[in-house]
Amino acid sequence: MAWLVVRLAISVSLLYAASAVFEDQVGKFDWRQQFIGKVRFALFDTHSQASKKLLVATDKNVFASLNSRTGDLFWRHVDKTGPEGHIDALLMYGQDAVVVVGNGRLLRSWETTVGGLKWETVLDTGSFQAAALVGVQDLVKYVAVLKKSAISLHDLSSGSQIWVENLPDSDSVQYQTIYSGGNGVVFVLGVVPNSHIVIVEYKIEDGEIMNKKSVEAVWMSSLESSCAVVSSGILLCVDQITQSLYTLPLQSAEQTEMRQIHLQMLDLEVVSGFRPVLTSTQPNPAQPPLSEFFLQLSPDHHILLQFIDGLIAPLRDFNPSYLAAFATSGERTVAAVMSPKNDTACSINLFSADTGRRHLDTTIIYHMDPNGGKPNRLYVHAFLKKDDSVGYRVMVQTEDLTLTFLQQPGRVVWMREEALADVVTMEMVDLPFTGTQAELEGEFGKKAAIQDGLLPMVLKRLSSQFILLQAWLAHLWKLFYDARKPHSSVKNDVTIDILSRDEFNLQKMMLMVTASGKLFGIDSKSGTILWKQYLENIQPNSVFKLIVQRTTAHFPHPPQCTLLIKNKDTGLGSLYVFNPIFGKKSQISVPALPRPVIQTLLLPVIDQDYAKVLLLIDDQYKVTAFPSTKNVLQQLQDTASSIFFYLVDSSQGKLSGFRLRKDLSTELIWEVVIPTEVQEIVAVKGKRANEHVHSQGRVMGDRSVLYKYLNPNLLAVITESTDTHQERSFVGIFLIDGVTGRIVHEAVQRKARGPVHFVHSENWVVYVYWNSKFRRNEFSVLELFEGAELYNSTVFSSLDRPYAPQVLQQSYIFPAPINTLEATLTEKGITSRHLLVGLPSGNILSLPKMFLDPRRPELVSEQSREENLIPYAPEMPIREEWFINYNQTVSRVRGIYTAPSGLESTCLVVAYGLDIYQTRVFPSKQFDVLKDDYDYILISSVLFGLFFATMISKRLAEVKLLNRAWR
Amino acid sequence: MTSPGGGALAARGGATVKRMKWSLELSLGNSRNRGDRQSKDGDVMYPVGYSDKPVPDTSVQEADRNLVEKRCWDVALGPLKQIPMNLFIMYMSGNTISIFPIMMVCMMAWRPIQALMSMSATFKLLESSSQQWLQGLVYLIGNLLGSALAIYKCQSMGLLPTHSSDWLAFIEPPQRLEIMGGGMVM
């Protein structure tokens, strides 16, 4: 019976917690963008002329097929992160793509049309060196994989291993490349640095060593990139110290020395400090490579050379040229070369590979984005036109990970911003009012009122009203105009100029900072990239912190954002100040940061231009203010005694609190040491600054109030034990007051380990850990209450809190691992809260906080029913209708960002990882707006109907009365 | 339609009055005149001011005085008499908040308030009584008791903002005195 009651209670509570979207709402206010990451290998499907496939493998361990006409994904396979899923090589033959994954752990073959796995083979251990397709008599049948100490040959159609052979002297020789010219043998090339090259020749049928020789090469340190095989098996190497090319026929048994050809003889010279690169091409793996090859002598100098009869002849010199690449279509091989045209554009031209002659009318102009990076990779897709000439399209990858697909004469077919696959941090900024609204606001500002008299003000008023009328008419006209067009062609013409804040502030500007150092401004409604800015010279492991200093609310001052970029190696930081709406760099002078910045602090103090003051704390605990005008410094002096900050040093296990002095130096006021031998601080979180709590307490069943302990200075510190043994490991949580250093509460979860995800908000902390005893994920919630009375209801000071709060805690079993955790946020905090849980499956679960309530009773009582408490059940349910992104999964979700909108019921959510997904959630349903399916027509027709019925019946009644009077 | 006074107008010619469009008959005894009030007593005509009912003796007597007293006490005790009934209704309607109990409570609260507002009219009613002031007081007490009962009912139904939770929504968030920030060493 009791169980029935519990189940009834749960199902009743679910009735109003369900928040799935309806089918017709799909894509209405949400969008997803899928990314792949930085391209490492890209191959065009040249199997058939009409093929649109482009196969890519990226550094995010993604293997995907793109539509080369639109840039959309045909299919995508996301492998494990880290070295386990690293794609080592991508080979393609016909319809099959062969991929080596995880440092030579797996060999897979994919069917490229639908992306199905054909076969998979587990390879022997050993670090991967190279892989190549091996052909016999014009047919490609095998794939050879070279490991550090072994070579194996696999059948291309089934993946079965034909043979595997150990390499001779593999401890001293570094085997690096593999070559097969289709004549029944496979060459394995190894090098002993600064000594000699080893060439081993294997028979394809049984793996027998046919020949093994070593050739002296004292100058050589590595085979990769400085060597290539050209023509019918000629090994060609280049060395920048001796300024020479070396050649060696692989098959000849008699030649035991490499032939040296001085570059001087060809009138060439390698720029000092540059490692020259040789690029050859082998259009068909069953046939020897072409005798033409590229030699790169400096970053912007390529030369096309030809090897004939032991002689090297230059075919064409490309100076200057950024990139060069070969492409083959049918029997014809061409070379595409990108050379600079002017400051903002490059031209790409097509040359015949065997003669070096330029093809006529093949120029593609590539316009470089002034806010982007330089091009660094060129992929060419050549095809035969109907008149048998060669046409081509190119894909250019730039430093800022933009993929641009171009066709003649320079039309950009599509563009992908792959930097967005690695978003580090983001913010959402309100859009400004429309120009007319802003104008109104500006005209009736204080300054204007003082300057002008009464009459000009009246005129201004009239003129601005006229402008408003004009804008309204224009808007109506646009509505009318759009209504006539088909629905699909209307959208996707968002530009920055027409962007304005909508009625409910649901459309915002998303600022995204990516690991590659590129900033994006994205319209949250459509997902259109409105501006982008590439910051050059960003170290790959830099730390970013994005701060909104001034919002759009202070017209005519433009909004202002500051990005702090900290170089991990030098520790030095730099500030980049920009306008978040237009992406323009601000002209404000930025303070020099001579010392490493260790933390920042955004104060609610504003300067005369309404920008919030940012304090930068350096490694000597000195503080720099930005902006640092006189006004600000004066304000800082006044408020210095109430400004505190804390620093957490996890390497020393130390939390320290500081207070600001009037001279902007600091003073250590408290220190908490958590011994690093036992446990390590993993994370620390305060509360979000823009969080509002509407209700100061909770109503009990007996209608008394349990007041919440709403300490804005409270920090949640998570620690993990250094001992990882499953019996002794633990997870600790400390709640510390950031001003006084007082430990408000501490809890330890034994037999638990991380990774811990947690949310700290209002008066609660929710954290997730792995219970190593029961092998499951658990949620734990801590809630803090002051009790039945408030100590001080008007002001909150951490320095005057004599009573410790009451702490309640409860734990639950969560039936899935999680990737990230965030809580919804609304304008006034009236709406109930939900937790957004990013699952590894890519779904985002919206879990009502009501389920994570430590006051959930084990036994149902009258009072708990009055309070709407769900009876305690250890298992936390996961319901598919709670997935806010239905089938739009977000791969490798790494973070969720929530922002309030102008509607109290609505919270904007952005989930980012490999993909980006934006939606709105309504934790308490849409109580402040009419539903989407609200039947305006029915209701208004009923209203009008009733109105007319009343009129008519009134008339009829009058007539009837008159008639009766005449009777 | 009957016509006032002694004459009756027959606007429509019935089957019997086909001869003329309209006619005026001065004799009231005619049975053709429909709906005549005075015709039920026959053809006898009474003079003006004559009433066939005996006129009561309106001079005040001792017995009447007692009756007035009694009547006034009835008025004064009316609210008090309703209390047991109200108690019964209160008990029956229960403490759940739904439309019928709310209507009952509203009625229970509204009636005494209405009575108290029209106190002067009641006093006029009681004017003739010798114990006017006492009766007025009893009437007042009765009504006050009635409204107290309504308030008690509201209280037991939880409609009165007497708990701290009822004022929770009006508590402003406390102002913070310290500004704090920071984080992990970057």
Side-chain angles (χ1 to χ4, degrees), chain A residues 634-667:
Chain A
Q634 182 61 42
Q635 284 192 61
L636 276 182
Q637 278 197 1
D638 297 343
T639 51
S641 59
S642 65
I643 296 173
F644 299 83
F645 63 92
Y646 69 95
L647 291 171
V648 182
D649 190 346
S650 68
S651 59
Q652 294 174 27
K654 201 165 72 177
L655 290 102
S656 26
F658 297 85
R659 156 190 255 160
L660 196 68
R661 288 214 197 104
K662 284 201 192 306
D663 58 345
L664 294 190
S665 62
T666 56
E667 159 186 30

Side-chain angles (χ1 to χ4, degrees), chain A residues 385-456:
Chain A
K385 289 185 188 166
K386 279 189 184 125
D387 58 353
D388 211 33
S389 62
V390 181
Y392 73 122
R393 303 186 185 94
V394 290
M395 185 171 80
V396 182
Q397 183 174 13
T398 51
E399 284 169 343
D400 55 334
L401 309 187
T402 307
L403 290 179
T404 316
F405 196 81
L406 299 143
Q407 70 178 33
Q408 290 177 15
R411 192 172 78 84
V412 176
V413 184
W414 49 262
M415 221 168 170
R416 290 181 70 91
E417 290 291 350
E418 291 306 331
L420 284 170
D422 204 350
V423 174
V424 183
T425 178
M426 68 165 292
E427 282 288 342
M428 267 187 170
V429 182
D430 295 350
L431 288 171
F433 292 113
T434 50
T436 45
Q437 274 172 311
E439 198 165 316
L440 265 184
E441 225 176 84
E443 270 168 28
F444 299 107
K446 274 181 193 164
K447 277 182 193 168
I450 295 165
Q451 285 168 6
D452 302 334
L454 190 67
L455 193 68

Side-chain angles (χ1 to χ4, degrees), chain A residues 24 97 256 280 309 480 529 663 820 866:
Chain A
D24 61 338
T256 54
S280 67
D309 304 331
F480 173 70
I529 295 169
D663 58 345
T820 181
E866 189 88 348

Side-chain angles (χ1 to χ4, degrees), chain A residues 699-718:
Chain A
V699 182
M700 302 284 96
D702 59 357
R703 301 183 60 211
S704 61
V705 177
L706 190 58
Y707 288 99
K708 294 173 183 170
Y709 180 76
L710 294 169
N711 184 346
N713 307 323
L714 196 67
L715 308 173
V717 181
I718 299 282

Side-chain angles (χ1 to χ4, degrees), chain A residues 425-561:
Chain A
T425 178
M426 68 165 292
E427 282 288 342
M428 267 187 170
V429 182
D430 295 350
L431 288 171
F433 292 113
T434 50
T436 45
Q437 274 172 311
E439 198 165 316
L440 265 184
E441 225 176 84
E443 270 168 28
F444 299 107
K446 274 181 193 164
K447 277 182 193 168
I450 295 165
Q451 285 168 6
D452 302 334
L454 190 67
L455 193 68
M457 281 295 277
V458 171
L459 287 178
K460 257 189 186 179
R461 171 100 217 177
L462 286 177
S463 70
S464 51
Q465 290 288 351
F466 180 71
I467 290 168
L468 274 184
L469 183 75
Q470 229 174 357
W472 184 67
L473 287 176
H475 174 72
L476 278 188
W477 171 246
K478 192 175 176 299
L479 274 184
F480 173 70
Y481 197 73
D482 283 349
R484 295 187 310 164
K485 279 197 272 185
H487 189 69
S488 55
S489 66
V490 174
K491 56 182 182 180
N492 271 341
D493 53 349
V494 186
T495 57
I496 203 148
D497 306 315
I498 61 157
L499 265 192
S500 64
R501 195 182 299 185
D502 59 342
E503 210 177 340
F504 298 125
N505 201 4
L506 290 166
Q507 189 177 8
K508 294 199 180 195
M509 178 67 91
M510 290 160 57
L511 300 180
M512 294 195 137
V513 182
T514 61
S516 61
K518 195 167 187 184
L519 307 182
F520 289 91
I522 301 174
D523 168 34
S524 78
K525 196 174 183 185
S526 61
T528 318
I529 295 169
L530 296 172
W531 58 263
K532 48 202 170 187
Q533 180 69 48
Y534 177 58
L535 307 177
E536 277 167 47
N537 306 323
I538 301 278
Q539 296 302 310
N541 58 350
S542 295
V543 183
F544 298 93
K545 194 161 182 180
L546 183 62
I547 301 127
V548 182
Q549 279 194 292
R550 183 167 55 217
T551 61
T552 33
H554 304 287
F555 189 85
H557 299 286
Q560 182 183 326
C561 276

Side-chain angles (χ1 to χ4, degrees), chain A residues 512-818:
Chain A
M512 294 195 137
V513 182
T514 61
S516 61
K518 195 167 187 184
L519 307 182
F520 289 91
I522 301 174
D523 168 34
S524 78
K525 196 174 183 185
S526 61
T528 318
I529 295 169
L530 296 172
W531 58 263
K532 48 202 170 187
Q533 180 69 48
Y534 177 58
L535 307 177
E536 277 167 47
N537 306 323
I538 301 278
Q539 296 302 310
N541 58 350
S542 295
V543 183
F544 298 93
K545 194 161 182 180
L546 183 62
I547 301 127
V548 182
Q549 279 194 292
R550 183 167 55 217
T551 61
T552 33
H554 304 287
F555 189 85
H557 299 286
Q560 182 183 326
C561 276
T562 303
L563 181 69
L564 172 70
I565 306 147
K566 183 174 169 175
N567 187 329
K568 265 279 180 194
D569 301 329
T570 60
L572 290 177
S574 59
L575 291 177
Y576 178 77
V577 186
F578 62 102
N579 179 335
I581 303 299
F582 299 102
K584 289 195 193 92
K585 190 175 177 178
S586 173
Q587 300 303 320
I588 292 170
S589 64
V590 169
L593 302 170
R595 298 213 58 86
V597 175
I598 54 172
Q599 200 38 264
T600 61
L601 173 58
L602 186 69
L603 299 180
V605 176
I606 51 171
D607 72 348
Q608 69 270 34
D609 290 339
Y610 306 101
K612 284 185 184 166
V613 176
L614 182 69
L615 294 187
L616 301 149
I617 301 139
D618 65 22
D619 61 344
Q620 291 181 333
Y621 310 113
K622 287 257 167 35
V623 168
T624 316
F626 169 67
S628 56
T629 54
K630 249 185 196 156
N631 180 327
V632 169
L633 294 177
Q634 182 61 42
Q635 284 192 61
L636 276 182
Q637 278 197 1
D638 297 343
T639 51
S641 59
S642 65
I643 296 173
F644 299 83
F645 63 92
Y646 69 95
L647 291 171
V648 182
D649 190 346
S650 68
S651 59
Q652 294 174 27
K654 201 165 72 177
L655 290 102
S656 26
F658 297 85
R659 156 190 255 160
L660 196 68
R661 288 214 197 104
K662 284 201 192 306
D663 58 345
L664 294 190
S665 62
T666 56
E667 159 186 30
L668 182 73
I669 49 173
W670 58 267
E671 206 166 50
V672 173
V673 177
I674 293 169
T676 45
E677 302 87 65
V678 186
Q679 52 191 332
E680 183 199 5
I681 300 170
V682 193
V684 59
K685 265 188 201 168
K687 287 172 190 172
R688 287 180 67 165
N690 55 349
E691 177 184 276
H692 292 277
V693 184
H694 178 73
S695 181
Q696 299 296 303
R698 284 191 57 172
V699 182
M700 302 284 96
D702 59 357
R703 301 183 60 211
S704 61
V705 177
L706 190 58
Y707 288 99
K708 294 173 183 170
Y709 180 76
L710 294 169
N711 184 346
N713 307 323
L714 196 67
L715 308 173
V717 181
I718 299 282
T719 63
E720 276 176 36
S721 62
T722 43
D723 189 350
T724 52
H725 185 270
Q726 62 157 359
E727 284 293 312
R728 294 185 294 271
S729 65
F730 64 88
V731 165
I733 178 161
F734 294 83
L735 299 181
I736 296 177
D737 190 301
V739 171
T740 59
R742 176 179 173 181
I743 298 178
V744 175
H745 181 71
E746 59 183 305
V748 166
Q749 223 76 42
R750 295 200 185 283
K751 291 173 185 159
R753 61 180 164 78
V756 179
H757 302 277
F758 69 114
V759 175
H760 181 198
S761 177
E762 287 189 29
N763 63 329
W764 48 264
V765 182
V766 172
Y767 57 103
V768 192
Y769 52 88
W770 171 257
N771 184 328
S772 50
K773 187 183 177 191
F774 294 107
R775 296 167 187 280
R776 64 193 184 196
N777 283 288
E778 288 184 358
F779 261 106
S780 197
V781 56
L782 278 172
E783 265 187 46
L784 288 89
F785 292 101
E786 281 204 17
E789 268 173 41
L790 275 179
Y791 173 71
N792 187 341
S793 63
T794 51
V795 289
F796 189 98
S797 168
S798 286
L799 303 168
D800 177 30
R801 301 302 295 182
Y803 309 115
Q806 301 169 10
V807 183
L808 301 174
Q809 184 164 20
Q810 225 169 45
S811 297
Y812 314 88
I813 303 163
F814 191 69
I818 78 162

Side-chain angles (χ1 to χ4, degrees), chain B residues 154-167:
Chain B
C154 284
Q155 159 77 17
S156 59
M157 280 173 80
L159 294 177
L160 294 186
T162 50
H163 291 90
S164 47
S165 60
D166 300 318
W167 304 97

